[in-house]
Amino acid sequence: MDNFTFYSPSFFMFGKDTENRAGELVKRFGGSRVLIHYGGGSAVRSGLIGRVKKSLENEGVYYAELGGVRPNPRSGLVYEGISLCRKERIDFILAVGGGSAIDSSKAIAAGVLYDGDFWDFYSGKKIEKALPVGTILTIAAAGSEGSPDSVITREDGMFKRGAGSDALRPKFSILNPALTMTLPPYQTAAGITDIMAHLHERYLTNTKDVEVTDRLIEALLLTMIHEGPRVIADPENYEARANIMWAGMMAHNNAVGVGRSQDWNSHNIEHELSALYDCAHGAGLAVTMPAVFRYVYKHDVMRFAKLAVRVWGCQMDFDHPEETALAGIAALENFLRSIGMPLDFAGLGAKKEDIPKLVESLCYGDGRDGSISGFVTLNAEDCTKIYQMMV
Ligand code: NZQ
Ligand code: ZN
């Protein structure tokens, strides 16, 4: 196991009706002038924003609001949010929604306290400080409610890039599984896929002897395999929603990723797809993961075989371990198909003729040096072949 530090000071309030405690938590974590930041309208239609405002009013907390965050959030609204926060002297940002609303909130939080262009942070500059952020989660997926990360798309060039800092970890996150019951099945499935991707990206490591985190990842994957189909069949199953929601947080606050190298090639390859085609991030990962895994599995056949046996229940073939590894990847693909995810370019509205553009942005865009690194280092030729496997 590698040396590591782990600092995750987010307070979680989990369960039914917990959104009504938002005002109390904002005050507890020092907020007095709040920006409520949310998405395209689902939280307004469900009545959630109304309940959140009432909770803030009950505690005498001032608020301004900024809706309109779109999936794969854009830089334009971040600039708008930064100006609004300065004008309104906001001291706390409350994100209501999914990864997109939360990531946009984190970007605003860092940008407000910075004199330069907030995009500097998404091009590698370290984030030292940010306004405090709280979240009320409405979709189990990105894990941003517990993570130090934020992913934003810059409209100029359509680069989708991430920034990370412990300063961006939410001060609190309210997780009420019942709020996720209004999700369309496709979004529920995309969320399940994203959670499973966060687990795979950590499982694919070059660090030896990381049994404790291996076992934790396997447990969370087994949970997703059990609960995923239950929630697709019965969207109002509170217990299945609850298990998925907590698994989504655990998968990505990095408790199961410490002390080991991680992959993230599937995410980087996918981010080009959701940047260009505006597809759901999880759906993009359903197409990306099997292709990446089939391309790289020979780098460590036994790691893929171990996952196949322990998680997918495959029989170990000691004479041909690569067959076991491939059976595990096929099992993942079948699972993703069974919950309604696309498995090829056509299912995302992606086009074969765009592959050179995707590879250019992935490997050279925004200052990159021609390759991406993770479990395996992939150059432009490798990435071209991987995108071709998705057609
Ligand atoms: O905008 P509204 O109207 O709210 O609709 C949203 C959106 O269309 C809808 N939705 C959310 N909760 C709902 C609901 N509809 C009905 N009922 C509800 N309860 O679902 C759609 C997707 O929402 P979004 O926030 O985009 O989903 P998700 O949580 O999957 O976030 C995706 C973004 O997170 C980034 C992705 O790249 C993508 O931009 N990621 C962020 C990470 C992080 N910060 O740590 C890590 C991830 O790997 C990921 O890259
Ligand atoms: Zn993700």
Side-chain angles (χ1 to χ4, degrees):
M1 199 187 297
D2 299 334
N3 291 358
F4 67 88
T5 62
F6 181 63
Y7 179 67
S8 178
S10 303
F11 178 91
F12 293 98
M13 186 175 273
F14 192 99
K16 293 171 186 163
D17 301 324
T18 42
E19 65 274 16
N20 299 322
R21 310 269 301 271
E24 178 193 325
L25 289 184
V26 165
K27 265 175 106 170
R28 174 169 166 181
F29 290 95
S32 61
R33 295 180 65 84
V34 172
L35 177 72
I36 309 174
H37 195 36
Y38 55 91
S42 74
V44 176
R45 285 192 299 278
S46 67
L48 174 60
I49 294 291
R51 294 202 295 285
V52 170
K53 285 181 183 170
K54 190 155 173 278
S55 166
L56 293 173
E57 284 158 15
N58 287 345
E59 296 290 333
V61 175
Y62 173 83
Y63 61 80
E65 58 184 297
L66 180 63
V69 183
R70 47 189 294 175
N72 307 312
R74 303 285 168 90
S75 54
L77 198 66
V78 174
Y79 291 115
E80 205 180 305
I82 292 170
S83 305
L84 182 62
C85 285
R86 288 180 179 151
K87 183 168 144 258
E88 292 275 358
R89 292 178 291 111
I90 294 297
D91 60 15
F92 196 99
I93 304 183
L94 182 57
V96 183
S100 296
I102 300 173
D103 286 3
S104 185
S105 297
K106 289 176 174 177
I108 294 169
V112 171
L113 301 186
Y114 178 60
D115 286 338
D117 184 345
F118 93 90
W119 190 258
D120 294 347
F121 298 130
Y122 293 75
S123 311
K125 189 179 172 63
K126 194 170 182 299
I127 299 175
E128 305 283 358
K129 55 185 179 180
L131 284 182
V133 172
T135 87
I136 301 177
L137 188 65
T138 63
I139 172 171
S144 191
E145 66 278 11
S147 85
D149 306 316
S150 161
V151 185
I152 301 290
T153 301
R154 192 180 84 187
E155 273 124 330
D156 173 18
M158 294 308 281
F159 295 117
K160 188 173 186 183
R161 295 290 184 262
S165 163
D166 279 336
L168 295 186
R169 293 221 190 231
K171 292 290 171 261
F172 71 80
S173 284
I174 290 176
L175 275 57
N176 175 359
L179 296 178
T180 68
M181 288 179 187
T182 51
L183 279 166
Y186 188 84
Q187 288 295 344
T188 297
I192 290 167
T193 308
D194 193 17
I195 293 168
M196 293 176 78
H198 297 160
L199 295 164
H200 278 87
E201 301 268 26
R202 290 182 167 87
Y203 204 83
L204 297 184
T205 185
N206 292 309
T207 311
K208 301 292 174 216
D209 295 324
V210 283
E211 192 67 5
V212 63
T213 39
D214 272 0
R215 289 293 190 183
L216 288 166
I217 295 170
E218 290 159 12
L220 289 166
L221 279 170
L222 286 164
T223 302
M224 298 308 295
I225 294 165
H226 178 69
E227 300 291 16
R230 289 211 313 154
V231 87
I232 295 295
D234 177 12
E236 304 215 342
N237 185 329
Y238 179 87
E239 299 305 335
R241 293 252 180 220
N243 280 300
I244 290 173
M245 200 169 210
W246 193 239
M249 202 298 294
M250 299 271 288
H252 202 46
N253 84 335
N254 209 32
V256 302
V258 293
R260 53 197 288 150
S261 70
Q262 302 181 7
D263 188 1
W264 302 103
N265 279 337
S266 291
H267 265 67
N268 282 320
I269 290 171
E270 188 293 317
H271 281 163
E272 299 304 329
L273 296 170
S274 47
L276 190 61
Y277 305 110
D278 219 6
C279 56
H281 167 63
L285 286 166
V287 176
T288 305
M289 276 191 290
V292 172
F293 297 169
R294 287 194 177 103
Y295 194 79
V296 304
Y297 78 97
K298 287 189 179 144
H299 173 69
D300 188 348
V301 170
M302 289 312 286
R303 181 141 281 273
F304 277 93
K306 179 164 134 174
L307 187 67
V309 171
R310 289 183 177 181
V311 171
W312 295 106
C314 300
Q315 194 68 36
M316 183 67 205
D317 183 340
F318 287 99
D319 295 330
H320 308 99
E322 62 281 4
E323 295 301 323
T324 311
L326 287 169
I329 299 168
L332 168 67
E333 201 169 45
N334 288 337
F335 177 86
L336 297 172
R337 183 183 294 111
S338 77
I339 60 169
M341 283 288 93
L343 293 170
D344 58 20
F345 256 34
L348 298 174
K351 298 193 197 80
K352 189 179 174 186
E353 52 272 29
D354 288 339
I355 290 177
K357 193 157 117 187
L358 291 163
V359 172
E360 173 68 23
S361 174
L362 173 66
C363 295
Y364 297 100
D366 211 26
R368 287 198 179 151
D369 67 359
S371 63
I372 54 170
S373 57
F375 184 54
V376 174
T377 297
L378 300 170
N379 62 24
E381 195 186 333
D382 297 316
C383 295
T384 301
K385 287 183 186 152
I386 289 169
Y387 281 124
Q388 283 167 346
M389 289 164 74
M390 305 181 203
V391 173

